[in-house]
Amino acid sequence: MIEENYAVRAVNLEKHFPVSSGGFFNRNQQVVKAVDGVSLEISKAETLGLAGESGCGKTTTSKLLLNLYPLTGGKAYCNGVDISTLKGKDLKSFRRNAQMIFQDPYESLNPRFNVRVTLEEPLIIHKMGDEAERHQRIISIMNEVGLKPAEQFLERFPHELSGGQRQRVAIARALILEPDFLIADEPVSMLDLSIRAGILKLLQKLIEKKQIAGLCVSHDLSLLRYLCKRTAIMYLGRIVETGPTESLIQKRYHPYTEALLDAVPHPDPDKKYCLDKIKGEIPSASNIPEGCRFSSRCFKAMEICFHQPPRPVVVDENHWVECHLYMSNRS
Ligand SMILES: Nc1ncnc2c1ncn2[C@@H]1O[C@H](COP(=O)(O)OP(=O)(O)OP(=O)(O)O)[C@@H](O)[C@H]1O
Ligand code: SF4
Ligand SMILES: [Mg+2]
């Protein structure tokens, strides 16, 4: 164990999936570099945003931070402990302390469990409290997530709840174990626009109140602006910019961040999305461009970008960018 200020720290995380392509007799073994050198830190009582296009590696990074996949490379620490070394009681305690809220509450809840059983199950697994104490805890967390009066919801099954109520149950299930690390992976993207703000406000309130270290994953920067003081931008397996969310949005250092911000729908419904800055689709994670991985789509690419990967450069306080535009020492 090492002493440190961060609740969560990842150093050079890698997850490479071997995949086969081609016919039965002509199989090629390829490697999908879903996560390819990700470093990040999250302090206690801080929520870091993680944004990027579909397929850039956000969920895989989240799963690595929760020790749900073995690492191809790098290290992940939680409260100073290398999580890949955890076994037995320590691993069980980590599983209790690190929770995840998934994108689709319908998929993450067991359709055969009513709300009471859904919320009691983790308490039983982790041997927390007797029956009366568990009941108290369930009622109290249901009140906190706005499922009240609790008695009205306790016996309902997922199909008897609205999408927003289901996501509240999923949040309650994640928080009932009082975790100190919480990952919310696209927590509102499956919900109607009209109920997104309510769920986000709830998440923000609970994370602050309980002083949790949070990671909020989304492709929508406007959502992260609301929830996270600091955000990391991910592209094709790597974080290309990290900084205070406001500074990142105002200053638009990395061309990919700029393109992502311009891809947000315009508030005026008559105006179209501004997607023209990004050329084509995100390349395959099994065929990453040489040099800067964004070079095949970057509207600011220079000659050097096509053969030399950029190094991270500090551009402002607590703000760094991986791009040749900011490397004073170009070679
Ligand atoms: N088990 C797996 N085996 C092989 N490839 C995988 C596996 N899981 C993910 N990938 C690939 O890794 C890359 C990153 O996937 P990931 O799900 O982490 O992306 P994401 O950023 O969460 O995308 P989305 O926004 O669509 O949820 C993708 O190319 C995906 O196809
Ligand atoms: S390094 Fe070059 S290609 Fe990559 S983002 Fe910067 S300008 Fe664009
Ligand atoms: Mg995902």
Side-chain angles (χ1 to χ4, degrees), residues 142-184:
M142 286 177 73
N143 280 322
E144 282 193 83
V145 301
L147 287 169
K148 43 190 177 183
E151 290 70 23
Q152 232 180 61
F153 294 96
L154 272 175
E155 305 307 320
R156 289 207 215 165
F157 289 85
H159 72 273
E160 297 171 312
L161 298 165
S162 71
Q165 287 165 344
R166 279 198 290 271
Q167 196 57 306
R168 283 171 197 263
V169 175
I171 294 172
R173 184 176 155 100
L175 293 181
I176 202 161
L177 294 171
E178 300 185 343
D180 45 32
F181 179 35
L182 179 71
I183 298 185

Side-chain angles (χ1 to χ4, degrees), residues 54-55 57-60 103 185-186 217:
S54 182
K58 304 182 294 296
T59 298
T60 309
Q103 181 171 12
D185 189 356
E186 304 271 10
V217 172

Side-chain angles (χ1 to χ4, degrees), residues 68-98:
L68 296 177
Y69 283 143
L71 287 161
T72 307
K75 292 271 184 215
Y77 302 91
C78 198
N79 296 323
V81 176
D82 175 352
I83 61 173
S84 67
T85 63
L86 295 173
K87 289 191 180 74
K89 250 178 30 200
D90 293 337
L91 181 60
K92 198 170 172 194
S93 154
F94 172 75
R95 295 258 174 266
R96 197 190 88 194
N97 280 326

